Amino acid sequence: MTGQRAGRLPVIVLCVVGLMATVAMAFLHVAPNRLLSGHPASPHVWLLTLLWLLTAAAGVYRGGAVMALTLTLGLPFLAGHDATLLLQHAAPTTRIQLGAGFWTMWLAAALLLLDRLRHLRIAWRTACWVLIAAVLIGGALAGAFNSIALVREWQAQRGAFSDALATHITLSLVTLAIALGIGAPLGYLAWRARKAGGTLVGVLAFLQTVPSLALFALLIGPFAWLARQWPALGALGFGGTGAAPAVFALVLYALLPVVRYTVTGLEAVPPDTREAARGLGMTRGQVLWRVQLPLGWPVLLAGLRIVAVQTIGLAAVAALIGAGGLGRFVFLGIGQGATDMVLLGTLAIIMLALAADLLFQGLMALTGRRA
C-alpha cells in the first residue's frame, strides 16, 4: 500500500503543476516582432484542463503512461496549430512565442512519462523516446511548427546553427578524449599512492570551485603569452582566445570526476581477485589490463557519463572567449534581448546533453549485461 501511494505521488504533483500552468500561465505569446514581448494567448484552457484531469485519473488508477505520452506529443502540435491560426490575420513581423504555460506543461508531461516508464527495460524506454523524437522531427519536416517563433529563428539562423552545433560537439569530444587520456593514468597513480592521490584529488577539487567564467578569463593572459613566445603555436590557432584555452579549462573541470571514478573502479575489484590473478602468474600490468579495468569499466563509464554531460553544459561558456559553439546563440540572444535565440541555443545544449546521457546509459546497460 505504501509503495502504491509512493507511485501515485509523482502523478499527483506533476498533474497539479500541469493544471496550474494551464490555468495561470500563458500557453502562447503574440509579439509584434522578435524583440518585443507581446500579449498572452491561451485558446484551449478547458481542453487542457480536461486532459490533465484525465491524466491524473489514469495515473492513479491505470498507470498514466499513455496519457503522458499523448500530452508530450500533443502539446507541440497544438502549439503549432494555434500559432498558424493566430498568424493568419497578423502583420508579417508578428511572432508567436511559446509561453511559460507551454514549457511548464511540456516539462511536467515529459517528467510524468519518464516516471511511468521507469519500470521498463532500458531498450523499451529508449525506443519510446526515439519514437517521440521521430514524431516531432517528422512534424517539423512536414511544417507543423513553422509558425512558432522559435522555429522561424532556427530557419533564419540555420547555417550558423549547424556550424555552432558542430563546434560544440567537437569541443566536447576533444575535451572528453583529453580528460580520459590524462585522468585515467592520474587515477591509477592516485590509487597506487593513496597519500599523494589524496593531494591530487584535493587540488582538482579546488579547481572545481573556481567559477567557470573566471577560469576562462584567467587563461586568456597565459595563452596569449605562449602564442607570442612561440609564433608557430599562434599560426595553429593557439592564442589567448579561441578553442585552445576553452578546451584547457574544460579539461581541468573534467579531470576530477575521471580521476575519482578511476580510483573507485580500481577499488571495486576485491583484493582476493587481484591476489588470485597474481597467483596465476600475471604481472602487475596484466592484472590491471585483464582484471581490474574490465571489472571496473562500468564505474569508469559512469564517470565518463558525468563528464560528458558536464562538458556539454560548460562548453556554452566557451563562446565568451571566441571558441564558438551553441553558447554563441545564448549570449547573442541575451545581448539583443531575443528570447527565441536564447532558447535556440539552450534547447540544443539540453538535447545534446540528454542524447549523451542516453548513449552512456545504453553503454552501461550493455556493459552490465555482458558482465
Side-chain angles (χ1 to χ4, degrees), residues 151-169:
V151 178
R152 295 176 71 178
E153 190 71 45
W154 173 77
Q155 290 172 339
Q157 306 276 350
R158 188 179 301 176
F161 180 84
S162 299
D163 294 340
L165 180 63
T167 303
H168 205 97
I169 293 173

Side-chain angles (χ1 to χ4, degrees), residues 340-355:
D340 294 322
M341 189 178 286
V342 176
L343 283 174
L344 187 62
T346 304
L347 290 176
I349 292 171
I350 292 173
M351 292 296 113
L352 208 55
L354 289 176

Side-chain angles (χ1 to χ4, degrees), residues 184-198 262-263 266-267 274 278 284-285 287-288 292:
L186 284 179
Y188 177 71
L189 293 176
W191 175 75
R192 291 276 302 166
R194 304 298 173 89
K195 189 174 180 180
T262 302
V263 173
L266 293 174
E267 286 180 345
R274 296 197 303 271
R278 295 296 297 271
R284 182 177 293 170
V287 173
L288 173 65
Q292 287 182 280

